[in-house]
Amino acid sequence: MVKPLPLSSATQPAPEWRISDTPVPYEVALREMEERVAAIAEGRAPELVWLLEHPPLYTAGTSADEADLIDPERFPVYRAGRGGQYTYHGPGQRVAYVMLDLKRRKPDVRAFVQDLEAWLIATLAEFNVKGELREGRVGVWVRRPEKGFTAEDKIAAIGVRIRKWVTFHGVSLNVDPDLDHFTGIVPCGISQHGVTSLTDLGITASMADVDIALKRNFRRIFGPQEGD
């Protein structure tokens, strides 16, 4: 059963919910996240969940192995500062940057990551997709029996950073990206499995449909947001 993180104060403002309609340059998103996280930590701004897309690019987390950057000239490469290895972001992929104050909620990084996983799995379930976790493999996976008995593909990635108990970066869910764009890297350092999307699984869902499901399930797991 999914349980929301307990709030420490009934007067804590609900997180703001922002959706960007056009792709946001990665450096712009990083700058805005940095500024917002500082403001949240200082009590000058409410928490924020920011849904967006990026132009095609690769990001390198703190554990990235240079050997996993197969085609460094294909798209711009950014050092993200988040945990994890190489990931791809681009049109058709819903990125959710989650800026929450864990000090006011529950100062437990592992529990926060588990809640992000539960959020993605619950969202996928609304589209009849069974998302699963795997020991030693970050993110959310789906079984692909049509490709072989043990075949699995990754449909969502997770990479977070914590500063002064405020979270930033977050998750990405493949709705309808160009899956060939992932071939310029070894996604998250895992070469034995592939990458998929809702469209690749035969599911027709708009970004707006996914946003509605994300917001509904965020409320179940993390509590209310602005406008509730």
Side-chain angles (χ1 to χ4, degrees), residues 38-221:
I40 293 170
E42 295 167 8
R44 296 184 287 106
E47 300 171 318
L48 173 65
V49 180
W50 185 10
L51 303 185
L52 68 152
E53 295 172 84
H54 285 304
L57 57 93
Y58 298 128
T59 68
T62 55
S63 302
D65 183 341
E66 291 297 330
D68 290 339
L69 183 57
I70 298 170
D71 189 354
E73 304 301 321
R74 189 170 189 181
F75 299 124
V77 181
Y78 295 90
R79 297 287 169 183
R82 52 155 178 80
Q85 303 185 48
Y86 281 104
T87 61
Y88 165 77
H89 294 313
Q93 181 190 70
R94 178 49 91 210
V95 175
Y97 290 135
V98 182
M99 289 158 264
L100 301 181
D101 188 348
L102 298 187
K103 188 166 54 179
R104 297 183 181 182
R105 290 173 168 264
K106 185 178 181 181
D108 185 329
V109 176
R110 182 184 296 273
F112 171 65
V113 172
Q114 289 173 341
D115 284 337
L116 291 178
E117 293 168 341
W119 180 32
L120 289 167
I121 289 171
T123 298
L124 289 168
E126 295 206 16
F127 301 97
N128 296 315
V129 174
K130 185 179 181 181
E132 299 179 337
L133 307 178
R134 291 292 179 264
E135 186 71 28
R137 283 193 257 143
V138 178
V140 178
W141 300 79
V142 294
R143 301 188 189 194
R144 303 301 301 272
E146 72 277 14
K147 294 183 176 182
F149 182 72
T150 61
E152 296 178 337
D153 287 341
K154 189 172 190 175
I155 195 168
I158 298 173
V160 300
R161 187 175 180 183
I162 313 290
R163 180 183 297 155
K164 296 182 179 179
W165 286 109
V166 180
T167 69
F168 55 126
H169 296 278
V171 305
S172 59
L173 174 60
N174 296 333
V175 180
D176 185 22
D178 185 339
L179 296 180
D180 181 66
H181 288 181
F182 287 87
T183 61
I185 58 172
V186 178
C188 299
I190 300 171
S191 59
Q192 302 92 337
H193 301 280
V195 179
T196 190
S197 66
L198 290 178
T199 296
D200 185 50
L201 294 173
I203 296 164
T204 302
S206 69
M207 197 66 76
D209 294 333
V210 172
D211 290 346
I212 290 169
L214 283 167
K215 189 170 186 178
R216 179 163 43 238
N217 288 287
F218 181 92
R219 183 183 296 110
R220 289 177 53 214
I221 294 168

